[in-house]
Amino acid sequence: MAIQCLILGAGQEVGKSCVVAMIGGKKIMFDCGMHMGFSDHRAFPDFSLLSSSNDISCVVITHFHLDHIGALPYFTEVCGYNGPIYMTYPTKALAPLMLEDYRKILVDRRGLEEQYTYENIIHCMNKVIPIDIKQTIQVDKDLLIRAYYAGHVLGAAMIYAQVGEEKMLYTGDYNMTPDRHLGAAQIDRLSLDLLITESTYATTVRDSKYLREREFLKAVHTCVAAGGKVLIPTFALGRAQELCILLDDYWERMNINVPIYFSAGLTIQANMYYKMLIGWTSQKIKDSYTVRNPFDFKHVCPFERSMINLPGPCVLFATPGMISGGFSLEVFKQWAPSDKNLIAIPGYCVAGTIGHKLMSGKPTRIDLDKDTRIDVRCQIHQLTFSPHTDSKGIMDLVEFLSPKHVILVHGEKPKMAALKQRIESELGIQCEYPANNETVLVPTTQSLKISASKTFVRNCTTELDGDERIAEGILVMEKGHNAKIVSEEEFLETIGAERNVVSFTGWVSPLAQ
Amino acid sequence: MKLTCLSEGGGFYSPPCHILQWCGFTLLFECPVDLSALAVFSPIPTTGSSSSDNNSLIRAVPWYKTVASLHLWDPSSIDVVLISSPWALLGLPFLTRKPGFSSSTKIYATEATVRFGHLMMKELTFMHMEYVRYYGPDKKLGLPDWMNWTNLERLQMELKSIVLGEKQEELSGWVPIYSAGDIKDCIDKIQPLKLGEEVCFNGTLVIRALSSGLDIGSCNWSIKSPKGSLVYLSSSVFGSAHAMEFDYPLLSGHDIIIFSDFSSLDSMDYDEEDTNKCALSGESEDCSMDELSGNDELEAENEKMHFICSCIVDSVKKGGSALIPSGRFGVVLPLLEHICNLFDSLNMKVPIFIISETAQETLALTNSIPEWLCKQRQKKLFSGEALFQHMELIKEGIISVHPFLCSSDLLEIWKEPCIVISPHWSLRLGSAVQLLHRWHADPRSLLILEEGVHDELALMPFKPLKMKVLQCSFLSGIQMKKVNPLFQTLRSKIVLVPQSLRSQFTRRESELYKIYYYTKNEIARIPSLKEGFEAYLATDLVFQLQPTKLPEKNIAVARLKGKLLLRKGIYYLTLPNKQLNMSVKPSVHWGTVEPTCLLRALNEKEIDGSILHNENYDFCVCVKKPAEALIEVKGNKIMISCEDKTVSALINEALNSVCNRI
């Protein structure tokens, strides 16, 4: 037997995560993401490689980031998949915001043709079955799935799937260290045939988070103290809340009264969801929440477009992240030319975005298009902390789970090659990192289902050999029946025979003489 | 399997209690405390009034009535404790604080049960402190004065039967309140579970909590073991306006159901006609699924809410206040929404106070647990609305929450008529006592009381009672008419039902499942259903097998030796870590020995023998060379006599080769 994996996306790249695994004859789609770097057909996984979209038993989405869910409305509403879709409660609550926000940017701002409509999103999300962490879901008679806490963003989950004795885990994105508002990933010691893990930071080992947080706060504080404006381009969910907790807390301690703004209603609305979903944040936040909700920020207020050029210092969280367009770009155009201002870029930026240009070198000007040129005189602060696990975390997880096989996805090819080397040489586990649209076959061991008699089991408990319980019996195999293991006595009984008793004596009876 | 019912409980707030012995383990279901028994204590009188003192109730710091039969069990013998609801958790600190309680005992409850149960325990100890402040702390160790026999003899019949129990055996169940430390130790020992989460106890029992629909966090239990599977069915509700719905699919297909829903004993609305109708319609499965949908329950509960609200409005219009002493989320939360909506539509402004030390935390918590709520409430999460309206209503100042009745900020805004939601339904604890002292003689005021066991007694110290009392019974379990359809849907082979409900089972013994009746404090023994165990054989072990065919039986057999593992209630046979000597055990052989075959086999080993016949034996083989030996065969008994050990071994080999063997 084998698990067959078709990598539809995030093979040797970051973007449009989508893996279809066939396990024990059941097809499961893990994630259904889009690629933010493309706006043509390459943005979506190539669903035409599936023989039919409806031989899939279920779709499971690990978290609300667009590179993991962006193609879902297209797959259900345009391709016509109508089976069950599972995601955690926070993902189901927050994903529509992400999807609609991005659709609007694409259609309204960039004027591109939409792949799916607002109604498509709503209709698709209505079909989603919400699940809780550790809840075991019986998808059908044979297939069961279970979500494990993954950190990364609110509601992120690793997905375990099992059919009979074949078992696999798809991690999605995860974080092995807790952050300001989320706990670290948590997993049971599962015996797995296959582990599919992300590898964004396949070769990076990160230093203490505390230090990086302090640097960030210092940079922001210095800027506003000198009367500058701080732009933090983020997506509405996740990083925005983490940094907000950090800043709100710092403002309180340092008694600063410079305003912190959130652009658009989206993030304000997102905070409302975070308040209801506080059970999914870290233990520390849960414990501190008895009466006051930590997502009730004291120093945070909404931002109006007219405030962009008002004098005085401020901190602004603006969407979208990576300065890929929209409001954050609008503000960037206004604030970048002043050397008093600061742009703090949190997290990963996809190639082709302004965020990526700012992070890779110190450009003094950016050509937006042939008519627009932005002078960049402001300071750039790069926040290197990211909600992804680093290479140590990946190695720790692989070692802890000790699966029979590892497949790497969601990473950059050369780094993945290096990580594959380490996993194979240090842990002795077979590892692969297939490209998009490749299929990998992972062999699995299969066990034979039999029945065991009570006497057989009882007999063995007495026979201890070290830590192992050793059992001995007789396996009876009959055509058309499950094999059955029994004790010797039971066996003779089944065949209706009596045991021959041989005894020995050294004395030869006189009869022989 | 042995089931011992320790208590049948009494109503929503004190669930039943059972011990189950299965697969070599002892499991305790529920650890309740009977708070309705608090009625035997006199409430704290208001300062300056002596009118309420002329009652025959016990004047002392209350003790608490736990399940008396549970004290007969050695706490260290309990392996697993399963708690189905916050109310079934309230007695747990009494058990865990016992010196014999083992740290290896596993306690499982849903996360919501633990969090709400924890808040309720804290609230109980807070309210209890009022008595301690009034009477002063217990001065002496040992039993309080009211518990000595002379004082007990003086009690009124009704009080006596509550204190001692009907069979005079429950006095040992009374214990003093637990401390904050006891609560913390208890909560720390619990392993909280999500709904549908699988936990494995000792590799043998796979335990799962599945929503029962009764209230937030309450659950039924599914347990799978090598010996089969069972369901512990606690009081369940099919249609809930707040808690996660009753989970059918995961409950069905278990071998055994332990039916532990005694709610129909208390409810008086048992309807003969309904049952007959259902006995007829319960035949087809489609029909029964329909009946279990719970829409009728939702409607009935909704009607009740409307009726209560209209009574409250009537009182308020006349200038009277309404007191609602209740601890059920299923009553309080929907009632708050209904009454606020009604006031809003009538354009009335009436202050609503919630008075409890833990109310603020409890209310905040209810708004951040979407995973534990019904689909309708979850929809609010997905559309970005608050799960319950009360957070908004508090923000708008329509509802205000206060820890004590006499806190200064409450006194500032206090205005009558008003509506007060207050713990505790026993009318002995919390602000309800003071408010009853205040309002009991006001005929315009309204008291909303849940139907319980000792209503008369509970109200006794507040007599003469002029205020209106509205008694409501809320749905607290499975209606009798739905029991048979439920059993059919769940497709179990054996159902255990309380003897006390036997008369209500009008249906004839079903051919689909077998019914056993159990009685309090008697052991019900259930025979094992399974012949063998489910097991998996690892492929690498299969490759080592050397099967022999037995053509006459049409089977193949093979000797098998391997490592036996028990994981999640299933046995696994795998290759041992170190190589095993497969020939340690002498082989088994059977079947008749043919004399000529034996001679031929001996010949091959260069042993010469001749056959002798003797009346004592089937036959004998006499051997002269290479050493003297005799082989005597009688039935399945074979005796080899020889002085030379090598020859003896050779003869045995020859014998083996002519027998069927493995």
Side-chain angles (χ1 to χ4, degrees):
Chain A
M1 295 293 282
I3 301 174
Q4 185 187 316
C5 283
L6 170 60
I7 310 294
L8 280 184
Q12 302 177 357
E13 66 169 358
V14 175
K16 61 168 177 184
S17 286
C18 186
V19 173
V20 178
M22 179 142 88
I23 169 168
K26 302 279 172 181
K27 269 192 194 170
I28 309 166
M29 180 183 283
F30 296 99
D31 281 338
C32 192
M34 68 188 307
H35 200 296
M36 308 279 279
F38 299 109
S39 45
D40 53 12
H41 68 278
R42 288 169 298 174
F44 288 161
D46 186 357
F47 295 121
S48 66
L49 292 173
L50 300 167
S51 47
S52 147
S53 52
N54 278 318
D55 64 349
I56 288 175
S57 295
C58 68
V59 175
V60 197
I61 304 292
T62 57
H63 63 283
F64 60 67
H65 279 159
L66 289 170
D67 59 332
H68 294 259
I69 196 176
L72 185 66
Y74 180 79
F75 187 54
T76 61
E77 306 310 304
V78 182
C79 300
Y81 169 75
N82 53 23
I85 307 158
Y86 297 94
M87 55 182 80
T88 62
Y89 284 89
T91 308
K92 175 164 178 177
L94 298 168
L97 303 186
M98 297 293 280
L99 289 167
E100 176 56 11
D101 191 40
Y102 193 74
R103 193 195 64 86
K104 265 199 209 138
I105 289 171
L106 228 54
V107 177
D108 301 349
R109 300 239 173 86
R110 288 204 214 150
L112 294 169
E113 195 188 328
E114 63 182 11
Q115 300 284 1
Y116 44 77
T117 63
Y118 174 68
E119 286 69 34
N120 285 156
I121 296 175
I122 299 305
H123 193 243
C124 163
M125 292 308 296
N126 275 341
K127 291 189 268 192
V128 170
I129 304 164
I131 58 175
D132 203 347
I133 293 297
K134 289 206 172 174
Q135 183 186 354
T136 305
I137 307 277
Q138 202 77 45
V139 176
D140 57 33
K141 199 167 99 327
D142 306 307
L143 171 63
L144 77 79
I145 58 167
R146 189 184 304 141
Y148 286 95
Y149 194 80
H152 188 62
V153 289
L154 197 73
M158 303 189 187
I159 306 296
Y160 168 78
Q162 179 184 349
V163 177
E165 288 299 293
E166 293 183 290
K167 296 156 188 172
M168 65 176 292
L169 181 78
Y170 175 86
T171 65
D173 295 353
Y174 62 101
N175 195 355
M176 296 291 277
T177 46
D179 73 14
R180 280 277 152 182
H181 74 301
L182 297 172
Q186 275 182 327
I187 189 89
D188 292 336
R189 209 177 279 275
L190 305 157
S191 66
L192 298 173
D193 295 298
L194 171 64
L195 169 70
I196 304 178
T197 173
E198 68 134 321
S199 49
T200 321
Y201 291 93
T203 54
T204 319
V205 178
R206 286 195 307 256
D207 53 359
S208 130
K209 184 153 196 153
Y210 173 73
L211 218 80
R212 283 175 278 133
E213 282 182 359
R214 218 171 43 177
E215 275 170 15
F216 164 71
L217 289 170
K218 208 177 122 198
V220 172
H221 194 175
T222 320
C223 173
V224 293
K229 296 180 195 297
V230 183
L231 170 66
I232 308 174
T234 61
F235 289 100
L237 302 164
R239 181 46 51 84
Q241 281 74 22
E242 188 192 355
L243 294 179
C244 229
I245 288 184
L246 190 65
L247 282 176
D248 201 56
D249 184 56
Y250 186 75
W251 254 228
E252 187 80 11
R253 273 187 292 128
M254 305 300 284
N255 211 3
I256 304 171
N257 44 24
V258 173
I260 301 173
Y261 292 115
F262 263 14
S263 77
L266 180 57
T267 320
I268 300 287
Q269 201 186 345
N271 285 348
M272 163 97 182
Y273 283 98
Y274 269 72
K275 279 190 242 171
M276 279 192 271
L277 293 165
I278 193 152
W280 294 71
T281 58
S282 72
Q283 198 59 44
K284 201 175 142 202
I285 287 201
K286 264 193 272 181
D287 291 344
S288 72
Y289 167 48
T290 48
V291 177
R292 196 187 87 93
N293 196 306
F295 291 103
D296 268 330
F297 300 116
K298 281 188 195 143
H299 301 268
V300 177
C301 30
F303 190 78
E304 303 291 329
R305 181 162 278 119
S306 58
M307 296 156 91
I308 295 182
N309 289 316
L310 285 187
C314 69
V315 178
L316 170 66
F317 287 88
T319 56
M322 310 182 191
I323 321 186
S324 58
F327 193 63
S328 61
L329 178 62
E330 205 174 306
V331 179
F332 175 75
K333 282 189 218 164
Q334 302 291 325
W335 291 4
S338 164
D339 58 3
K340 278 203 317 194
N341 295 344
L342 171 74
I343 314 284
I345 299 169
Y348 191 88
C349 289
V350 163
T353 58
I354 293 177
H356 188 260
K357 283 181 198 152
L358 293 177
M359 281 169 75
S360 44
K362 284 233 176 271
T364 50
R365 62 160 196 257
I366 285 173
D367 297 320
L368 201 58
D369 48 50
K370 59 183 191 309
D371 304 319
T372 326
R373 169 174 295 182
I374 308 166
D375 289 315
V376 183
R377 286 192 212 95
C378 64
Q379 304 149 61
I380 311 285
H381 183 88
Q382 199 177 322
L383 272 85
T384 46
F385 52 97
S386 148
H388 290 274
T389 177
D390 63 1
S391 71
K392 185 179 175 304
I394 300 173
M395 289 299 284
D396 287 348
L397 183 79
V398 175
E399 191 178 0
F400 176 79
L401 291 170
S402 290
K404 298 204 180 78
H405 285 86
V406 176
I407 291 179
L408 302 178
V409 292
H410 200 282
E412 290 159 30
K413 194 177 175 184
K415 294 180 182 171
M416 290 165 106
L419 184 62
K420 167 200 155 85
Q421 275 298 316
R422 281 191 68 195
I423 289 173
E424 292 196 334
S425 62
E426 289 175 31
L427 304 174
I429 297 170
Q430 251 183 35
C431 180
E432 274 162 281
Y433 56 105
N436 279 348
N437 303 339
E438 278 183 10
T439 300
V440 181
L441 267 184
V442 174
T444 57
T445 52
Q446 234 214 337
S447 306
L448 191 65
K449 194 172 174 181
I450 58 169
S451 73
S453 81
K454 283 185 181 168
T455 329
F456 166 76
V457 171
R458 207 176 304 127
N459 283 353
C460 93
T461 51
T462 54
E463 225 184 298
L464 271 165
D465 181 20
D467 291 337
E468 296 180 358
R469 276 161 67 176
I470 302 299
E472 182 168 5
I474 290 162
L475 190 70
V476 181
M477 292 158 277
E478 192 176 352
K479 265 222 173 96
H481 290 276
N482 255 1
K484 187 171 185 183
I485 187 150
V486 295
S487 69
E488 284 175 2
E489 299 313 319
E490 285 174 316
F491 164 68
L492 291 170
E493 219 171 276
T494 9
I495 60 163
E498 260 187 279
R499 175 203 294 263
N500 287 341
V501 184
V502 183
S503 50
F504 298 90
T505 162
W507 176 78
V508 183
S509 86
L511 195 123
Q513 266 82 43
Chain B
M1 190 182 99
K2 287 190 280 185
L3 179 77
T4 316
C5 171
L6 304 182
S7 159
E8 296 194 341
F12 177 86
Y13 293 105
S14 46
C17 179
H18 306 275
I19 289 262
L20 177 73
Q21 288 160 298
W22 199 33
C23 299
F25 300 113
T26 302
L27 290 83
L28 170 68
F29 285 98
E30 326 292 21
C31 199
V33 52
D34 180 6
L35 289 173
S36 70
L38 279 176
V40 302
F41 294 95
S42 176
I44 299 167
T46 43
T47 42
S49 90
S50 58
S51 64
S52 63
D53 284 3
N54 46 21
N55 61 57
S56 53
L57 300 174
I58 299 167
R59 263 167 255 274
V61 173
W63 276 33
Y64 293 82
K65 192 182 177 189
T66 59
V67 176
S69 327
L70 182 56
H71 293 274
L72 303 175
W73 288 78
D74 174 7
S76 68
S77 68
I78 298 169
D79 300 297
V80 179
V81 182
L82 298 174
I83 305 286
S84 313
S85 75
W87 295 275
L89 187 66
L90 288 183
L92 192 62
F94 296 123
L95 178 67
T96 52
R97 76 177 177 185
K98 283 192 176 187
F101 189 83
S102 155
S103 60
S104 60
T105 303
K106 277 277 181 192
I107 308 171
Y108 300 109
T110 64
E111 209 177 272
T113 291
V114 177
R115 297 185 72 180
F116 285 111
H118 190 184
L119 288 171
M120 286 176 197
M121 287 177 193
K122 283 205 250 177
E123 187 179 52
L124 183 67
T125 51
F126 280 141
M127 292 187 295
H128 177 89
M129 279 311 288
E130 289 166 32
Y131 280 94
V132 179
R133 277 194 290 270
Y134 183 78
Y135 290 106
D138 276 340
K139 282 175 206 79
K140 57 173 190 136
L141 290 168
L143 298 181
D145 289 337
W146 63 268
M147 272 175 96
N148 71 41
W149 280 103
T150 36
N151 288 336
L152 289 174
E153 288 303 333
R154 275 191 220 127
L155 287 178
Q156 277 181 13
M157 270 315 286
E158 200 189 352
L159 299 188
K160 210 152 119 189
S161 78
I162 292 176
V163 173
L164 299 176
E166 264 149 40
K167 290 180 183 162
Q168 307 248 323
E169 58 188 8
E170 291 175 6
L171 189 65
S172 61
W174 288 89
V175 288
I177 189 75
Y178 35 72
S179 66
D182 294 334
I183 297 177
K184 189 180 178 300
D185 288 346
C186 168
I187 296 292
D188 287 348
K189 287 191 173 90
I190 306 174
Q191 183 175 339
L193 302 178
K194 305 270 189 182
L195 289 174
E197 178 179 347
E198 266 182 19
V199 281
C200 188
F201 175 76
N202 204 1
T204 315
L205 303 178
V206 180
I207 299 171
R208 269 217 244 189
L210 304 169
S211 183
S212 73
L214 180 67
D215 214 323
I216 302 173
S218 65
C219 67
N220 296 317
W221 296 96
S222 145
I223 309 175
K224 293 189 175 162
S225 83
K227 292 198 170 175
S229 56
L230 72 80
V231 163
Y232 176 83
L233 201 62
S234 63
S235 295
S236 301
V237 168
F238 300 135
S240 173
H242 67 303
M244 170 75 97
E245 288 83 0
F246 182 85
D247 192 338
Y248 291 103
L250 291 173
L251 277 184
S252 61
H254 290 65
D255 300 326
I256 300 169
I257 296 175
I258 299 176
F259 184 76
S260 176
D261 184 338
F262 292 83
S263 59
S264 48
L265 276 181
D266 309 316
S267 69
M268 299 303 142
D269 57 1
Y270 173 64
D271 190 342
E272 191 78 26
E273 207 176 301
D274 266 4
T275 317
N276 291 339
K277 192 180 80 201
C278 129
L280 290 171
S281 64
E283 301 289 342
S284 86
E285 201 159 304
D286 294 358
C287 217
S288 59
M289 270 318 274
D290 231 28
E291 259 175 272
L292 298 175
S293 75
N295 285 335
D296 53 332
E297 297 179 2
L298 272 174
E299 240 167 72
E301 293 301 293
N302 221 352
E303 266 172 41
K304 255 178 240 171
M305 287 293 166
H306 281 298
F307 179 69
I308 295 169
C309 288
S310 67
C311 290
I312 292 174
V313 169
D314 285 349
S315 284
V316 170
K317 276 185 177 162
K318 286 183 201 137
S321 296
L323 176 63
I324 309 161
S326 175
R328 286 173 74 158
F329 306 117
V331 172
V332 173
L333 300 179
L335 194 60
L336 277 176
E337 291 182 342
H338 278 282
I339 193 80
C340 289
N341 289 342
L342 188 58
F343 282 152
D344 197 44
S345 68
L346 294 172
N347 212 4
M348 287 170 74
K349 283 209 166 24
V350 183
I352 300 172
F353 301 108
I354 302 177
I355 302 166
S356 147
E357 281 90 340
T358 54
Q360 210 164 16
E361 250 181 280
T362 309
L363 291 174
L365 185 57
T366 53
N367 245 1
S368 60
I369 45 165
E371 312 86 317
W372 303 88
L373 303 181
C374 66
K375 296 241 155 57
Q376 283 307 314
R377 299 278 170 191
Q378 288 186 358
K379 265 192 195 149
K380 290 178 182 263
L381 164 72
F382 300 131
S383 57
E385 294 169 54
L387 300 167
F388 290 97
Q389 282 173 25
H390 55 246
M391 289 317 258
E392 290 302 304
L393 296 167
I394 291 170
K395 237 179 229 161
E396 289 165 23
I398 296 169
I399 300 175
S400 61
V401 184
H402 303 271
F404 316 104
L405 193 58
C406 33
S407 60
S408 57
D409 52 338
L410 174 58
L411 293 176
E412 243 169 60
I413 55 166
W414 182 263
K415 211 174 79 187
E416 287 182 39
C418 61
I419 293 158
V420 178
I421 293 176
S422 150
H424 184 269
W425 50 274
S426 66
L427 308 187
R428 292 296 179 270
L429 296 168
S431 50
V433 176
Q434 286 144 294
L435 290 170
L436 275 173
H437 283 311
R438 185 182 173 87
W439 289 334
H440 70 104
D442 180 358
R444 294 169 306 170
S445 293
L446 175 69
L447 171 68
I448 293 169
L449 211 54
E450 288 168 61
E451 211 156 74
V453 201
H454 317 298
D455 313 321
E456 265 303 301
L457 194 62
L459 288 168
M460 192 166 88
F462 306 103
K463 290 203 164 151
L465 192 72
K466 294 237 177 64
M467 82 189 286
K468 277 195 286 299
V469 179
L470 177 62
Q471 276 208 311
C472 318
S473 84
F474 298 97
L475 193 60
S476 306
I478 306 170
Q479 292 159 297
M480 226 41 222
K481 61 174 178 178
K482 295 190 175 177
V483 170
N484 274 322
L486 176 65
F487 287 169
Q488 291 191 348
T489 313
L490 296 185
R491 301 190 321 273
S492 293
K493 299 178 194 106
I494 290 180
V495 178
L496 277 83
V497 178
Q499 179 71 35
S500 46
L501 289 179
R502 187 171 194 156
S503 60
Q504 301 199 20
F505 277 81
T506 50
R507 197 185 158 83
R508 68 198 144 73
E509 190 88 346
S510 167
E511 58 276 13
L512 294 170
Y513 49 86
K514 199 167 161 46
I515 299 182
Y516 286 81
Y517 293 96
Y518 62 85
T519 313
K520 187 181 159 188
N521 288 334
E522 279 175 26
I523 298 173
R525 277 167 224 275
I526 311 303
S528 178
L529 283 170
K530 277 200 175 175
E531 291 276 308
F533 300 123
E534 199 181 332
Y536 282 95
L537 189 58
T539 334
D540 35 9
L541 204 56
V542 173
F543 291 138
Q544 292 202 342
L545 292 178
Q546 294 165 337
T548 14
K549 275 191 181 160
L550 299 179
E552 69 272 23
K553 301 280 176 202
N554 205 10
I555 54 173
V557 293
R559 188 169 279 274
L560 177 77
K561 193 163 184 175
K563 183 164 78 171
L564 188 72
L565 298 170
L566 180 58
R567 277 201 309 243
K568 292 199 166 183
I570 295 168
Y571 286 103
Y572 291 86
L573 269 165
T574 60
L575 213 55
N577 295 348
K578 61 176 186 219
Q579 198 60 40
L580 281 175
N581 185 355
M582 295 301 276
S583 60
V584 176
K585 266 204 167 176
S587 61
V588 178
H589 42 89
W590 69 91
T592 41
V593 182
E594 273 292 314
T596 42
C597 289
L598 181 57
L599 277 189
R600 204 178 310 130
L602 287 170
N603 264 330
E604 277 167 22
K605 301 207 180 288
E606 297 181 338
I607 298 170
D608 288 335
S610 53
I611 293 170
L612 295 174
H613 286 279
N614 178 298
E615 69 238 36
N616 290 330
Y617 301 97
D618 297 345
F619 67 93
C620 292
V621 177
C622 185
V623 176
K624 297 283 181 209
K625 260 197 330 205
E628 265 189 6
L630 184 68
I631 307 162
E632 296 155 311
V633 179
K634 187 186 183 190
N636 64 333
K637 290 194 180 59
I638 300 157
M639 166 88 90
I640 301 170
S641 316
C642 181
E643 278 172 357
D644 187 327
K645 282 202 176 132
T646 341
V647 177
S648 174
L650 282 172
I651 293 173
N652 191 31
E653 271 175 37
L655 190 63
N656 280 350
S657 68
V658 299
C659 287
N660 288 318
R661 67 183 173 124
I662 184 159

